[in-house]
Amino acid sequence: MRNKRGEDVMDNRPQSIVNFERCYLGAFALGLVNTAISWSATNAAFAASPQAAMMGSWFLTATTLIGFAITLALWYFIARKGSAVAKWIAVVLMALGLIGLAFTLLAGTFPSGASGTIGIITSMLQVIAVTFLFKPDTKIWFGETKAEAL
């Protein structure tokens, strides 16, 4: 969004937060693409599970949508509101995702082809995004230090 002079109204955000937002939303967009291209395989694997029969066919869709909603909520509270709590939730979720990635790689169950490649790129973008949250210019944004008086 721009003001009357053509300046970005979000310019008061630190550059690291802008970079976080770009990487994080890029990873989110790739995640959406990956979900779309692998949906039938994911759905088939889910349906083949005996536990899935107890949960119902709606469960996979619901959990996927909840995951997307959590991702967007974290983006909003980190990049637009400066929430340190959301920052740490994103860090924990990214770390858990990397642990899950490591286990699927070690177990040989990581998807091959485009889905696997997109998954790796998405994970890399998430790691890059989270590292931007720890740059020195984000301390005031997250309320970790006071702005110096002019």
Side-chain angles (χ1 to χ4, degrees):
M1 183 185 292
R2 299 195 178 276
N3 64 14
K4 292 179 183 179
R5 292 183 298 211
E7 300 167 330
D8 188 350
V9 296
M10 298 301 285
D11 278 347
N12 62 340
R13 296 184 305 158
Q15 186 60 46
S16 294
I17 294 300
V18 173
N19 291 337
F20 157 80
E21 182 175 51
R22 290 174 181 160
C23 292
Y24 194 79
L25 291 178
F28 177 73
L30 283 175
L32 288 174
V33 169
N34 209 14
T35 299
I37 66 173
S38 63
W39 185 255
S40 60
T42 303
N43 206 15
F46 182 77
S49 167
Q51 294 85 4
M54 294 186 311
M55 291 181 257
S57 60
W58 59 271
F59 187 77
L60 182 61
T61 302
T63 56
T64 300
L65 292 175
I66 290 169
F68 290 153
I70 290 169
T71 300
L72 288 176
L74 287 173
W75 156 75
Y76 176 77
F77 285 108
I78 293 168
R80 302 302 168 128
K81 295 297 182 185
S83 169
V85 172
K87 166 187 162 178
W88 286 104
I89 292 171
V91 169
V92 169
L93 291 176
M94 187 261 325
L96 290 172
L98 290 177
I99 292 168
L101 174 64
F103 278 115
T104 59
L105 288 170
L106 291 171
T109 57
F110 190 77
S112 60
S115 182
T117 302
I118 293 171
I120 293 290
I121 293 169
T122 300
S123 295
M124 289 172 29
L125 275 173
Q126 289 170 343
V127 169
I128 292 167
V130 166
T131 61
F132 280 118
L133 300 178
F134 293 93
K135 300 287 185 179
D137 65 338
T138 65
K139 289 191 182 299
I140 293 172
W141 181 254
F142 290 118
E144 295 167 350
T145 185
K146 301 275 187 220
E148 297 204 15
L150 297 174

